[in-house]
Amino acid sequence: MNAEGGTLYIGIDDFKVVKGIRLSEKDIDKLLLEIDNGSKTRFSPPILPQKYKVDFVKVINGRTRYVLNEIYVIEIHISRNTSEVPYLYNR
Protein backbone atom coordinates (compact mmCIF):
# COMPACT_ATOMS: atom_id res chain seq x y z
CA MET A 1 0.00 0.00 0.00
CA ASN A 2 1.29 3.44 -0.92
CA ALA A 3 2.29 5.61 2.07
CA GLU A 4 0.84 8.66 0.32
CA GLY A 5 -2.57 7.03 -0.01
CA GLY A 6 -4.51 6.92 -3.23
CA THR A 7 -7.38 5.25 -5.02
CA LEU A 8 -7.66 1.71 -6.34
CA TYR A 9 -10.09 1.31 -9.25
CA ILE A 10 -11.62 -2.09 -9.95
CA GLY A 11 -13.45 -2.41 -13.26
CA ILE A 12 -11.15 -0.22 -15.38
CA ASP A 13 -8.61 -1.98 -17.59
CA ASP A 14 -4.94 -1.12 -18.22
CA PHE A 15 -5.95 1.04 -21.20
CA LYS A 16 -8.30 3.12 -18.99
CA VAL A 17 -11.39 1.59 -20.58
CA VAL A 18 -14.30 1.26 -18.16
CA LYS A 19 -15.49 -2.35 -18.11
CA GLY A 20 -17.27 -2.44 -14.78
CA ILE A 21 -18.03 -5.37 -12.54
CA ARG A 22 -21.49 -6.98 -12.30
CA LEU A 23 -22.63 -6.85 -8.67
CA SER A 24 -26.00 -7.44 -7.05
CA GLU A 25 -26.89 -5.71 -3.77
CA LYS A 26 -26.03 -8.98 -2.02
CA ASP A 27 -22.63 -9.05 -3.77
CA ILE A 28 -21.95 -5.46 -2.66
CA ASP A 29 -22.82 -6.27 0.96
CA LYS A 30 -20.58 -9.37 0.87
CA LEU A 31 -17.69 -7.43 -0.70
CA LEU A 32 -17.93 -4.65 1.90
CA LEU A 33 -17.77 -7.26 4.67
CA GLU A 34 -14.76 -8.93 3.06
CA ILE A 35 -12.93 -5.60 2.71
CA ASP A 36 -13.74 -4.70 6.31
CA ASN A 37 -12.59 -8.08 7.63
CA GLY A 38 -9.50 -8.13 5.41
CA SER A 39 -8.42 -4.65 6.46
CA LYS A 40 -8.41 -5.85 10.07
CA THR A 41 -6.98 -9.35 9.65
CA ARG A 42 -4.74 -9.23 6.56
CA PHE A 43 -2.69 -6.14 7.42
CA SER A 44 -0.33 -5.39 10.23
CA PRO A 45 -1.06 -3.01 11.81
CA PRO A 46 -4.79 -3.31 10.97
CA ILE A 47 -6.19 -0.66 8.61
CA LEU A 48 -8.91 1.14 10.52
CA PRO A 49 -12.25 1.91 8.79
CA GLN A 50 -11.65 5.68 8.97
CA LYS A 51 -8.50 5.19 6.83
CA TYR A 52 -10.39 3.96 3.75
CA LYS A 53 -13.65 4.46 1.90
CA VAL A 54 -15.29 2.18 -0.67
CA ASP A 55 -17.56 3.61 -3.39
CA PHE A 56 -19.59 1.72 -5.99
CA VAL A 57 -19.98 3.95 -9.05
CA LYS A 58 -22.65 2.97 -11.57
CA VAL A 59 -21.44 2.59 -15.15
CA ILE A 60 -23.15 4.51 -17.97
CA ASN A 61 -23.21 3.32 -21.58
CA GLY A 62 -21.20 5.91 -23.55
CA ARG A 63 -23.47 5.82 -26.61
CA THR A 64 -26.94 5.58 -25.09
CA ARG A 65 -26.20 7.36 -21.79
CA TYR A 66 -28.24 4.70 -19.97
CA VAL A 67 -27.10 3.42 -16.60
CA LEU A 68 -26.08 -0.23 -16.94
CA ASN A 69 -27.99 -2.38 -14.47
CA GLU A 70 -25.82 -3.82 -11.68
CA ILE A 71 -22.54 -2.78 -13.37
CA TYR A 72 -20.14 -0.80 -11.17
CA VAL A 73 -16.62 0.52 -10.93
CA ILE A 74 -15.36 -0.04 -7.40
CA GLU A 75 -13.27 2.78 -5.97
CA ILE A 76 -11.27 2.13 -2.81
CA HIS A 77 -9.92 5.40 -1.44
CA ILE A 78 -7.08 4.99 1.05
CA SER A 79 -5.88 7.84 3.26
CA ARG A 80 -2.25 8.77 3.65
CA ASN A 81 -0.42 6.66 6.23
CA THR A 82 0.55 9.12 8.95
CA SER A 83 2.20 6.43 11.07
CA GLU A 84 5.90 5.67 10.87
CA VAL A 85 4.98 1.98 10.80
CA PRO A 86 4.23 0.72 7.27
CA TYR A 87 1.26 -1.55 6.57
CA LEU A 88 2.39 -5.10 5.93
CA TYR A 89 0.17 -7.58 4.07
CA ASN A 90 -0.27 -10.93 5.83
CA ARG A 91 -1.55 -13.75 3.63
Side-chain angles (χ1 to χ4, degrees), residues 36 48 88:
D36 185 54
L48 302 175
L88 300 176

Side-chain angles (χ1 to χ4, degrees), residues 1-2 7-9 11-13 18 21 31-33 36-37 40-41 44 46 48 51 62 64 68 70-71 83-84 87:
M1 195 170 299
N2 187 322
T7 303
L8 172 66
Y9 296 94
I12 299 177
D13 72 16
V18 175
I21 305 289
L31 184 57
L32 286 171
L33 275 174
D36 185 54
N37 288 334
K40 295 174 186 167
T41 61
S44 179
L48 302 175
K51 289 288 189 178
T64 65
L68 300 176
E70 295 188 340
I71 305 293
S83 170
E84 300 226 356
Y87 293 115

Side-chain angles (χ1 to χ4, degrees), residues 24-39:
S24 67
E25 289 296 320
K26 185 177 177 180
D27 294 331
I28 290 172
D29 290 342
K30 183 179 176 184
L31 184 57
L32 286 171
L33 275 174
E34 288 179 13
I35 291 170
D36 185 54
N37 288 334
S39 69

Side-chain angles (χ1 to χ4, degrees), residues 16-75:
K16 301 180 184 174
V17 175
V18 175
K19 301 288 187 177
I21 305 289
R22 182 175 298 279
L23 297 168
S24 67
E25 289 296 320
K26 185 177 177 180
D27 294 331
I28 290 172
D29 290 342
K30 183 179 176 184
L31 184 57
L32 286 171
L33 275 174
E34 288 179 13
I35 291 170
D36 185 54
N37 288 334
S39 69
K40 295 174 186 167
T41 61
R42 298 274 184 175
F43 290 90
S44 179
I47 300 174
L48 302 175
Q50 60 266 30
K51 289 288 189 178
Y52 68 90
K53 179 181 177 207
V54 181
D55 289 319
F56 295 87
V57 180
K58 292 184 177 188
V59 175
I60 298 172
N61 182 302
R63 278 182 299 156
T64 65
R65 300 288 187 218
Y66 290 121
V67 174
L68 300 176
N69 192 31
E70 295 188 340
I71 305 293
Y72 298 89
V73 168
I74 304 166
E75 296 179 354

